[in-house]
Amino acid sequence: MSADKKWAMVIDLQKCIGCDACTVACKAENRTPPGVTYNIVITEERGTFPSVTRVHVPRPCMQCDRPPCVQVCPVKATYKMENGITAIDYDRCIGCRYCIISCPYGARYFDFGLDYSQEMVGCNEVQAPEYGVDRGKREKGKSPIGNVRKCTFCYHRLLRGEEPACVEVCPGDARYFGDLNDPESVVSKLAASPRAFVLKEEMGTKPRVIYLK
Amino acid sequence: MKNSERLTKAWYGVLVLLMALGGWAIIERIRVGLVATNLTSETTWGAWVAFYIFFVGLSVGTFLLSTMFYVFKIEHYEKIGRDALLVSIISMVVALCFILLDLGRMERFWHTFRYWNFTSMLAWEVRFYVIYIGLLIAELYLSMRQDLIRVAKGTGWQAALARFLTFGSTDLSEESKKRDHKWLKILGSIGIPIAIFGVLGGEGMLFAGVKARPFWNSGLLPVILVVSALVASIALLLVFYVIRTKLMGREVDKEMVKSLAGLLAFFLLIEAGMEFFEFFVGAYGLQDTELATIETIFQGPFSWLFWGIQIFLGVVVPLFIFFNPRLKESVNAITLAAILVVIGILGVRFNIVVPPLIVPVLQGLPWGYYYPSPVEWLSSLGIVAFGLFLYTVAIKALPIDTVEELREGK
Ligand code: SF4
Ligand code: SF4
C-alpha cells in the first residue's frame, strides 16, 4: 500500500436503514470489550407529528484532519498516520482520558478491562491485530486494557487489502470507503457532491468521515 | 498539657484509621483497575480529578498569599506565611497522588516526562509542577533557615533534623539574613507568574481549551479557578491558624483573623460575581449543550450540590457571618464561615468537572451519570488524611512558627 493514500469514508444517510449491522460487525471484527463500541448508529426523530421522519446517523471515529484528541494527548500516544488515520499507540498511552474529554464526537472509549467471558467461551483467546500489531491473548494488566480505544478504520484489514468491516457488511450499501487523494475515486466524487456535509463542522476538526444528506 | 496530649493521640488515631481505609481502597483500585470507580467512557473524569484541581488550586492560592506576604512585607500576616508555604507543598503532593490514581496505566506516569506533546496543556502542566515544587521547597527552606539554625542548637530529634537540613551551617549574621530575604524575593517574583499562568492558569486551560465542551470553553474559567483558589486558600489558612493556635493554648490574634476574614469576603464576592457572569453569558448564548449543562447543574440529580453546598453553605452563610455586626466579631463564627467556604469551593470543583461530562457531545449519544464509588470515596479520604498527617508531622518537625513564638508556647 503506497503511503500517499488518504483514507476517507462517505456515509449516505438516505441509504442507511438503521439496522446497526455495522455496529455488530465492528464489535465482531475488533473484538471490542463491553462498553467499547467504535461504531454506533444514532437515531434521531425529526419533525413534529404527523410529518415525522427518522434519520439514522452512524458514528465511527471521524479520523479528523485537525483532531483535538491529538492536540491534547500529553505523550503523543494519539497521532495522525500518513494515511489520514488517527492512531493510538497502546504501549505509550497512560490512560489519562484527556482525549475522550476533548473528542467532539464521543468517539473514544476507555477499556476498563471488562470482557464477555460470562456470555462466550474463549472470548479472550485472540484480539484483533489493531494497527497491525498482534497482541495475542487479552490479559489482565496488558494493553489495551487501561488505555483509550477508538475506531481504526480497520487499519489491519486495510493492510490486507480489505475494506473496513462496517463498509463490507452494510446491507443498505450506505458506506463507501476509499482514497481522497485520488480524484477519480468514488469517495472523492461523493465528497464533492452538494449533499455532502460533516458533523459539527463548526468545531473545525476537518473530519474524514463525510455524510450525504 | 495532659489534655492536649490526649487530643494529639486521638488526632493521629483518626488519621491513621483514615489512611488505612484509603490504603485498602488504593490497593483495590490497583488490583482491579478503574472498574473500581464509577467512571464511564461518558463521564470519564470524576472525584479524583475534582480533588486534584482543588488541591492544585489550594497550593497556588496559599503560595500566592505567602509570597505576597514576603514580597510586599505585609508583616501583619507573616505569622502565617511559612505555614502557607508548607500547606502549598503538601497540597501539591496530595494533588499529584490524586492524579496518579486517576491514570488508567499508573505505571506509565513517567511517559509524561519522556514524551512531550507541545500542544498538550497536560504535558506543560506536568513540567510546570516540577519547577513549581522545586521553587516551593527552596522558598520554605530559605524562610526557615535562620530558625533551623537556632533549633539545631537544641537537643532532640527536631534539632538533629535541623542540623542535617542546615548542613552544619551556623551563619546567623545579619548579612545572611539579608541574603535569604533577597533570594526569597527573587524566587517569589519568578514563582508568582509560574504559579498563576503555568500551574493554575494551565489548569484552567486544561478545561477551557476543550471546545467540545462549551461549558468549559470560556476565557473566564481559568480566572475563576485562580480567584476561587485564593478564596479557598485564605479560608483554609485562617482555619488552620485558629485551630492550631487554640490547640497550643496560645492567644488568637483576633485582629489578624478579622482582617483575613475581610480579605476572604472580598475575594468571595468577586468569585461569586464571576460565576454569575459565567453562567449568564453561557445561558444567553442559547447553545444546546451549554443550556443542557447548566440545566444539569441547576436541576439535575445533584442540584443540591450547587444550591445547597456551593451557593447556600459556600457563599450565603459565610457572607452573612462576615457582614453581621455581631457574628463578624466572633473568631468562632469566622472560623465556621471559613470552613464552609472551603467546602463550598470543593463543590465548585465538582461542578466544574462533572456536569459537562454528563451531557453528551452529540445529540443521541447516551447521557452520563456519575456518583463516586466507595473506593473513590475511601481513597480520597485516605489521601486527604495523608496530607493532614504530613502537615501535622511537619509542623512538629520543622520550625514553621517563628522561634520566638515557640518559646512563648512552651
Ligand atoms: S472523531 Fe474524535 S477520536 Fe476521532 S480523530 Fe476526531 S477527535 Fe479524534
Ligand atoms: S488517554 Fe492515552 S491517548 Fe488519550 S490523551 Fe491520555 S495518553 Fe493520550
Side-chain angles (χ1 to χ4, degrees), chain A residues 72-73 93 98 143 145 200, chain B residues 102 105 108 117 120 206 361:
Chain A
V72 301
C73 175
C93 165
Y98 198 6
S143 282
I145 294 175
K200 290 178 124 180
Chain B
D102 191 68
R105 299 204 68 102
R108 292 188 189 156
N117 181 9
S120 170
L206 206 74
V361 281

Side-chain angles (χ1 to χ4, degrees), chain A residues 35-36 40 42-44 59 62 66 68-76 78 89-98 100-114 140-147 199-200 202-205, chain B residues 31-37 39-42 44-46 48-49 102-113 115-123 126-127 205-207 209-214 216 287 289 357 361-366:
Chain A
V36 179
I40 57 164
I42 298 169
T43 299
E44 270 175 47
R59 194 259 21 224
M62 306 290 144
R66 232 196 256 154
C69 57
V70 172
Q71 188 183 24
V72 301
C73 175
V75 297
K76 289 193 187 163
T78 281
D89 181 346
Y90 290 150
D91 295 315
R92 187 183 284 197
C93 165
I94 58 171
C96 65
R97 313 188 294 295
Y98 198 6
I100 299 187
I101 303 271
S102 69
C103 170
Y105 306 97
R108 291 182 162 245
Y109 297 86
F110 184 72
D111 190 333
F112 282 92
L114 304 174
K140 238 183 103 180
K142 272 181 42 186
S143 282
I145 294 175
N147 295 126
L199 291 184
K200 290 178 124 180
E202 73 282 3
M203 287 283 150
T205 45
Chain B
R31 205 173 57 81
V32 300
L34 286 184
V35 257
T37 67
L39 298 169
T40 55
S41 286
E42 286 83 36
T44 204
W45 284 351
W48 286 335
V49 172
D102 191 68
L103 293 186
R105 299 204 68 102
M106 300 166 77
E107 78 283 5
R108 292 188 189 156
F109 75 94
W110 58 273
H111 283 197
T112 49
F113 297 105
Y115 309 104
W116 187 349
N117 181 9
F118 283 93
T119 59
S120 170
M121 281 303 132
L122 204 51
V126 176
R127 284 159 184 83
M205 261 307 284
L206 206 74
F207 295 93
V210 178
K211 61 187 170 192
R213 314 275 171 178
W216 286 340
Q287 202 261 7
T289 320
L357 299 179
V361 281
L362 272 181
Q363 225 175 39
L365 287 179

Side-chain angles (χ1 to χ4, degrees), chain B residues 282-300:
Chain B
Y284 203 76
L286 299 181
Q287 202 261 7
D288 284 339
T289 320
E290 176 92 32
L291 287 182
T293 312
I294 294 178
E295 207 180 305
T296 307
I297 296 174
F298 284 3
Q299 298 170 11

Side-chain angles (χ1 to χ4, degrees), chain B residues 207-275:
Chain B
F207 295 93
V210 178
K211 61 187 170 192
R213 314 275 171 178
F215 183 75
W216 286 340
N217 199 207
S218 122
L220 196 55
L221 189 74
V223 188
I224 289 185
L225 233 63
V226 174
V227 177
S228 59
L230 277 173
V231 170
S233 308
I234 301 170
L236 198 79
L237 286 181
L238 193 158
V239 174
F240 276 15
Y241 171 75
V242 172
I243 292 183
R244 211 151 48 85
T245 327
K246 286 206 164 166
L247 275 183
M248 288 178 151
R250 286 194 239 129
E251 182 145 0
V252 176
D253 181 346
K254 199 168 165 190
E255 282 315 304
M256 185 178 81
V257 169
K258 269 168 61 187
S259 82
L260 271 179
L263 201 64
L264 181 53
F266 174 70
F267 278 111
L268 191 60
L269 278 172
I270 295 188
E271 197 231 329
M274 284 182 167
E275 289 265 2

Side-chain angles (χ1 to χ4, degrees), chain B residues 345-361:
Chain B
I345 299 289
L346 228 127
V348 173
R349 294 305 191 251
F350 267 80
N351 266 337
I352 286 179
V353 174
V354 177
L357 299 179
I358 302 279
V359 181
V361 281

